[in-house]
Amino acid sequence: MSDSFPSPEEIQKEFEEFARHRFGANVRVFQPEVRPIPSALGALEFKHKPRDVKDYLDRFVIGQDGAKKALAIAVCDHYRHIAHTHAHDDEAYAKQNVLLLGPTGVGKTYLVKQIARLVGVPFVKADATRFSETGYVGANVDDLVRDLMTAADGDLERAQLGIVYLDEVDKLASAGESGGRDVSGRGVQFGLLKLMEETEVDLTSGSDPRSQLQLLIDAQRGRKPEKKVFNTRNVLFIVSGAFHGLEGIVRQRIGAEALGFHRAGKAQEREDGLLAQARTEDFVRFGFEPEFVGRLPVRVACHELGEEELFAVLRNSEGSIVRQYERAFADYGIATMFTDAALREIAKLAEVERTGARSLMTVCERTLREFKYELPSSAVREFVVSKELVQNPTAILRRLVDEPGYRQLELDVLHIHKFEDDFFRVHGMRVKFDEPATRLIHERATRRRTAARTVCEETLIGWEHGLKLVQQTTGQAAFPLGVEAVESPKAVLEKLVMCGYRRPSGLSVH
């Protein structure tokens, strides 16, 4: 195959012939001059500490604390070194490229994306299967740095500080004991290991038609071409993969069978534990070159997500798929609220899918597909995603469309809870309507054809001042409220304030 692919010299010659034929014999393609590499040092201000980075990642990815800590340390070491290093001690620093192991959907890609966002550097993600050894059909690994240039809008100095994330790197394993890929993957490994350490990539390489065409255009416009060289010294490489089969290699090495890892019901524990114990020799047996593995000193195993973690992803993550569905329905003027019971049921169904956080989208799409189709053309303007809806979406949808006011109590309960949360957030005191008081608020809202929140606001208007006095006197910050508080709010507030001077704590009104 390599015989049919022209050499850089042949490409250069063809460009020159094309230029003469198109523009005349007086035109020639200039050989670019090499210019000094711009220094990346001092171009980045990085003041984060590892705990800062992990706290930031906690907002977006649930669990995986070990991976977060390792990534936080590696990123801080790398970019603080760049920000504070001097030329004389740069050679003593060993770059902390990272290898992430674990099944699909556990947050590996999302972690790296958020890190790049926090640091504020260009970010490139690619699949290892995209590349081939030089001379084969496929992309060249040097294209990664060209992609960084694109991500940095052509700013070479910024691009040289970027992060490259290479997924499915386990597919590059040659035919070792894992039964991996053919020998071309070995060639890609050697191409990558040069990038991961430090090398200079010619951005105007003769093997890149795009750069050669740009040189030709520059020549015709009278601009003297300049040779741009990309230095990978300060690029952080993070690679990941599922590494199916690596567990068996690790198990064989440590004699895990004798330790009871074969017992039923321990599948997830077995896989997570074994991947975390993988050593360089295990990766070599899997099909990786020792030099390649040596460029990845930080190795972290991500574990499979269970029901509790999937529930936390839905409920607490800033990137929760719930926000996406709320926005999608809101575009049609439909308010959507998810109960905790519904989120837990979705997580339970998603765990069975065994594709991590991606399975949450699968379950939500299957559950709410018909709602997205029917409700925008209906009179429904708000609805609750409850456990019952997740379990039987077709029946709930039909009643929502056919019976105005169906499940309005459920909606009002959520609105009341939202009012209680907002009251606490604004005033620092917790009010909590009990079940009879909540039902009474719902009945009043239905009778008056107004919102339950409006009834709450009218009921507790001005209460924050009186409750603040009670809080200052007794230290109490939570106030359970019953039917009496809804029927006679002024009298109840006065009673609370007066009792606050007589009793130390534990006030409630029913």
Side-chain angles (χ1 to χ4, degrees), residues 109 112-113 116-117 121-125 147-148 151-152 162-165:
T109 302
V112 181
K113 281 185 177 179
R117 178 182 175 189
V121 294
F123 171 74
V124 166
K125 177 187 180 296
D147 292 342
L148 271 179
I163 294 176
V164 170
Y165 175 60

Side-chain angles (χ1 to χ4, degrees), residues 10-197:
E10 290 172 332
I11 293 177
Q12 179 72 22
K13 184 177 180 181
E14 288 180 10
F15 267 98
E16 289 178 351
E17 290 176 355
F18 167 79
R20 293 191 185 97
H21 176 75
R22 177 67 177 81
F23 301 104
N26 293 328
V27 175
R28 72 183 186 88
V29 179
F30 291 94
Q31 294 291 337
E33 296 178 355
V34 179
R35 298 192 61 182
I37 305 166
S39 173
L41 304 180
L44 176 73
E45 289 188 10
F46 187 88
K47 299 180 180 179
H48 299 292
K49 299 175 183 177
R51 187 178 295 275
D52 301 330
V53 177
K54 183 182 179 298
D55 289 345
Y56 177 80
L57 295 176
D58 284 341
R59 294 166 46 191
F60 302 95
V61 178
I62 302 299
Q64 312 298 357
D65 284 350
K68 290 176 189 172
K69 289 179 181 178
L71 284 168
I73 294 169
V75 166
C76 287
D77 283 356
H78 181 74
Y79 285 106
R80 291 178 77 91
H81 167 76
I82 292 173
H84 304 118
T85 193
H86 300 285
H88 67 272
D89 62 8
D90 192 41
E91 293 182 0
Y93 178 73
K95 189 160 56 172
Q96 298 190 46
N97 297 318
V98 182
L99 170 60
L100 291 174
L101 304 89
T104 182
V106 298
K108 300 190 297 292
T109 302
Y110 204 35
L111 280 170
V112 181
K113 281 185 177 179
Q114 294 304 326
I115 283 176
R117 178 182 175 189
L118 174 66
V119 179
V121 294
F123 171 74
V124 166
K125 177 187 180 296
D127 288 342
T129 52
R130 159 189 168 190
F131 302 103
S132 68
E133 186 177 0
T134 303
Y136 289 79
V137 175
N140 190 291
V141 292
D142 288 354
D143 290 340
L144 287 169
V145 299
R146 297 187 180 94
D147 292 342
L148 271 179
M149 283 291 291
T150 301
D153 297 324
D155 186 333
L156 179 59
E157 192 170 3
R158 283 190 66 239
Q160 291 179 139
L161 299 174
I163 294 176
V164 170
Y165 175 60
L166 195 61
D167 198 9
E168 296 193 63
V169 74
D170 50 325
K171 302 299 192 300
L172 296 179
S174 58
E177 296 183 26
S178 65
R181 198 179 165 183
D182 66 350
V183 71
S184 63
R186 183 170 180 265
V188 177
Q189 291 183 47
F190 280 112
L192 286 170
L193 69 86
K194 291 188 296 182
L195 290 182
M196 289 192 293
E197 187 65 21

Side-chain angles (χ1 to χ4, degrees), residues 62-63 268 303-317 340 343-351 360:
I62 302 299
Q268 179 175 327
H303 61 80
E304 196 169 30
L305 300 180
E307 179 183 332
E308 286 298 324
E309 288 170 312
L310 290 169
F311 169 71
V313 169
L314 287 170
R315 193 178 191 276
N316 303 324
S317 172
D340 282 354
L343 298 181
R344 191 168 292 282
E345 185 68 14
I346 292 171
K348 180 180 178 181
L349 296 172
E351 184 182 24
L360 297 173

Side-chain angles (χ1 to χ4, degrees), residues 34-40 156-157 160 198-201 227-233:
V34 179
R35 298 192 61 182
I37 305 166
S39 173
L156 179 59
E157 192 170 3
Q160 291 179 139
E198 178 183 357
T199 192
E200 293 181 352
V201 178
K227 184 173 182 178
K228 292 183 179 180
V229 177
F230 188 112
N231 189 288
T232 64
R233 179 195 305 114

Side-chain angles (χ1 to χ4, degrees), residues 301-501:
C302 296
H303 61 80
E304 196 169 30
L305 300 180
E307 179 183 332
E308 286 298 324
E309 288 170 312
L310 290 169
F311 169 71
V313 169
L314 287 170
R315 193 178 191 276
N316 303 324
S317 172
E318 290 191 20
S320 171
I321 191 68
V322 169
R323 308 287 93 78
Q324 178 175 324
Y325 276 89
E326 289 173 342
R327 288 192 296 267
F329 282 107
D331 286 341
Y332 297 107
I334 303 171
T336 312
M337 287 164 283
F338 289 75
T339 67
D340 282 354
L343 298 181
R344 191 168 292 282
E345 185 68 14
I346 292 171
K348 180 180 178 181
L349 296 172
E351 184 182 24
V352 179
E353 299 284 336
R354 299 296 298 274
T355 54
R358 291 188 179 93
S359 59
L360 297 173
M361 176 63 139
T362 301
V363 175
C364 287
E365 196 280 331
R366 184 172 64 219
T367 302
L368 297 174
R369 180 188 304 161
E370 291 299 318
F371 288 79
K372 279 189 171 182
Y373 181 79
E374 294 283 354
L375 294 190
S377 302
S378 74
V380 176
R381 284 297 164 259
E382 60 178 348
F383 74 103
V384 175
V385 180
S386 62
K387 178 180 179 179
E388 183 182 357
L389 184 150
V390 176
Q391 292 174 333
N392 196 356
T394 303
I396 299 296
L397 176 60
R398 289 274 59 87
R399 294 195 67 180
L400 276 175
V401 174
D402 297 339
E403 302 177 27
Y406 174 60
R407 304 184 79 87
Q408 188 59 47
L409 173 60
E410 192 175 44
L411 277 166
D412 285 349
V413 168
L414 288 179
H415 285 305
I416 293 168
H417 289 168
K418 180 67 165 56
F419 169 81
E420 294 168 347
D421 291 340
D422 290 344
F423 192 95
F424 175 74
R425 179 177 53 82
V426 174
H427 303 298
M429 295 171 290
R430 175 73 66 183
V431 293
K432 181 67 177 177
F433 294 100
D434 64 16
E435 185 175 348
T438 297
R439 187 172 291 275
L440 179 57
I441 293 171
H442 160 69
E443 291 172 355
R444 285 192 174 184
T446 302
R447 186 170 59 251
R448 293 170 49 190
R449 295 185 179 181
T450 189
R453 184 184 182 93
T454 300
V455 176
C456 292
E457 291 171 346
E458 293 173 353
T459 299
L460 299 189
I461 186 169
W463 271 55
E464 64 273 13
H465 306 297
L467 295 183
K468 184 65 70 176
L469 289 174
V470 177
Q471 185 183 42
Q472 292 172 352
T473 305
T474 67
Q476 183 175 353
F479 301 90
L481 303 178
V483 170
E484 187 181 355
V486 181
E487 293 178 334
S488 306
K490 290 184 179 179
V492 168
L493 179 60
E494 291 176 1
K495 185 177 178 181
L496 275 171
V497 174
M498 293 300 297
C499 289
Y501 288 98

